[in-house]
Amino acid sequence: MKLILAEKPSVAKTIASFLGAKTRHDGYFEGNGYIVTYAVGHLVGLYDMKDYDKDKYSGSWKLSNFPFIPQDKFKFKVDSSKKKQFDIVKKLLHRDDIEYVINATDNDREGELISFLIFLLAKNKKPVKRILVNEWTPEDITRGINNLKDDIDMRNLQAAGYTRLITDWLIGINFTSVATLKYGNGKLLNIGRVILPTVKLVYDRDMEILNFVPKTYYEIEGNFKSKNGEYKGKYIKEKESKFDNIEEVNKVINSINSNEGKIIDKKVTNSKEYAPKLFSLTSLQGYITSKYSNFTSDKVLNVCQSLYEGSGKGGYITYPRTDSIYLEESLASKVSQTLDKLKVGLEYENKIKFTKTKRVFDSSKVDSHSAIIPTYIIPTKLTPDEQIVYNAIKDRFISNFMPPAEYENTEIKTDVDSNIFL
């Protein structure tokens, strides 16, 4: 038997369904030579301070007890609310009929950390292999199973996740405690790797708004009528169009006596506007929340997670927790197939053509996961919120394989009594 560890129950169900592990047990699926079980996010976490010394750290904080750094080594414990699932996974890991384990947690350092700590606390002795896929369609699962990596190839990613976990703990515990004791005045001051710079960004922007001094300025606009149509021009002097006071404005206006102008320069240029880049999670959240007032960033993520997990037969979008706006070059064939399926029946179908360009495919700019795109599985029953997010992802994806918009820009300079209007 081969034991597969997924990160979430929904992913485990998708994998088990495809592999034919159809017998459901408490906490896992079994059948056809596979056992598929799952974590529920982080089953294992670091000790709290009080877990190291209950008498010393359970009561009020004392400045003399900080900084706190474990003297021997960092210790881990099973999340009390998830102990049942951990015990199930541990028991499966020690079954005699398990040949090896396939790690199918998310393909990033957080996923590696989740599985690494489970294997550590469960004292796993079985060989571990890694399935590296970004989504859980049947084709991806097949490709991943046929190209398993050895666990040793994942050591750097595991170390990155472990190091970040330890660093976050040390910074969060010590800085939060000391800042609260010295400056909190009875209130908890949370300090951490994420919260501190985020609050600083909000604070800086708030100060800019608070200290902003509005300033009135004036511009002069001319309305022109020619044989071929009407147009407007803005008075310019050495590329500047703004005046600080009304006296200067009136001085210019009073100097104009003629009711006719002369076009002294006309430039016509053509420009192209390409589709915006594919979505990362952050750019998708920004796009959706700017258009729909009933969405928050968290809601966008939750809807994406629902679309990613799909119907059990596969997800409708690729892995959403990505910071990339490019695709791995190896995905070209799959993207072409997806595009061919999604464009059918669209009124501009003949404008949609697959091309492998650096604007879309660039492996050097992809970290753990590619940009968010639809899969070839077309959803049939979506909630209104899911439909909004799915359509945004689908439309952005399709637009990247369409010709750019083309514009003709005309710039006219008109002279009226030696005054130039642009």
Side-chain angles (χ1 to χ4, degrees), residues 1-6 9-38 92 95 98 102 141 145 312:
M1 298 289 284
K2 301 172 185 66
L3 175 63
I4 298 178
L5 174 65
S10 56
V11 175
K13 184 180 178 182
T14 299
I15 297 171
S17 175
F18 174 70
L19 294 177
K22 296 181 179 178
T23 305
R24 182 161 196 162
H25 298 275
D26 189 9
Y28 66 98
F29 304 86
E30 185 171 0
N32 200 29
Y34 289 96
I35 295 173
V36 186
T37 189
Y38 48 85
L92 292 171
R95 267 179 50 163
I98 298 297
I102 298 175
I141 296 171
I145 292 289

Side-chain angles (χ1 to χ4, degrees), residues 280-422:
S280 65
L281 177 59
T282 303
S283 62
L284 177 63
Q285 287 169 322
Y287 177 81
I288 296 292
T289 55
S290 68
K291 291 178 75 71
Y292 301 94
S293 60
N294 64 321
F295 273 87
T296 63
S297 292
D298 279 346
K299 183 176 177 179
V300 175
L301 175 57
N302 291 335
V303 172
C304 281
Q305 196 64 43
S306 175
L307 290 169
Y308 170 62
E309 291 167 3
S311 61
K313 298 178 181 178
Y316 304 130
I317 64 170
T318 57
Y319 185 71
R321 294 173 185 264
T322 175
D323 58 3
S324 178
I325 55 175
Y326 293 89
L327 299 177
E328 286 276 359
E329 290 159 34
S330 61
L331 296 175
S333 175
K334 183 191 300 180
V335 167
S336 178
Q337 293 169 10
T338 301
L339 191 67
D340 286 342
K341 194 159 187 178
L342 291 177
K343 72 179 184 180
V344 173
L346 296 178
E347 58 181 300
Y348 42 87
E349 182 179 345
N350 65 329
K351 297 283 188 183
I352 305 168
K353 293 182 174 59
F354 174 79
T355 50
K356 188 177 178 181
T357 65
K358 278 288 185 181
R359 291 194 79 256
V360 177
F361 297 93
D362 192 341
S363 297
S364 68
K365 295 178 180 176
V366 177
D367 188 9
S368 300
H369 300 282
S370 291
I372 307 171
I373 61 171
T375 67
Y376 72 91
I377 300 172
I378 298 176
T380 52
K381 293 181 180 179
L382 296 179
T383 67
D385 287 342
E386 287 174 335
Q387 196 70 60
I388 286 171
V389 175
Y390 179 78
N391 284 345
I393 295 168
K394 181 192 70 174
D395 292 347
R396 180 64 62 90
F397 171 71
I398 290 173
S399 68
N400 272 268
F401 298 97
M402 296 180 69
E406 295 185 17
Y407 297 90
E408 182 181 270
N409 307 291
T410 302
E411 181 182 284
I412 297 173
K413 285 184 180 178
T414 309
D415 184 326
V416 186
D417 294 343
S418 299
N419 296 293
I420 307 299
F421 289 81
L422 177 63

Side-chain angles (χ1 to χ4, degrees), residues 191-203:
I191 294 183
R193 176 180 55 87
V194 176
I195 193 171
L196 196 61
T198 304
V199 171
K200 180 66 162 61
L201 287 170
V202 176
Y203 171 80

Side-chain angles (χ1 to χ4, degrees), residues 217-219 234-243:
Y217 66 87
Y218 303 88
E219 291 183 320
K234 191 175 289 185
Y235 173 86
I236 57 165
K237 187 174 184 179
E238 298 175 356
K239 297 185 178 181
E240 183 57 57
S241 66
K242 295 177 181 178
F243 293 84

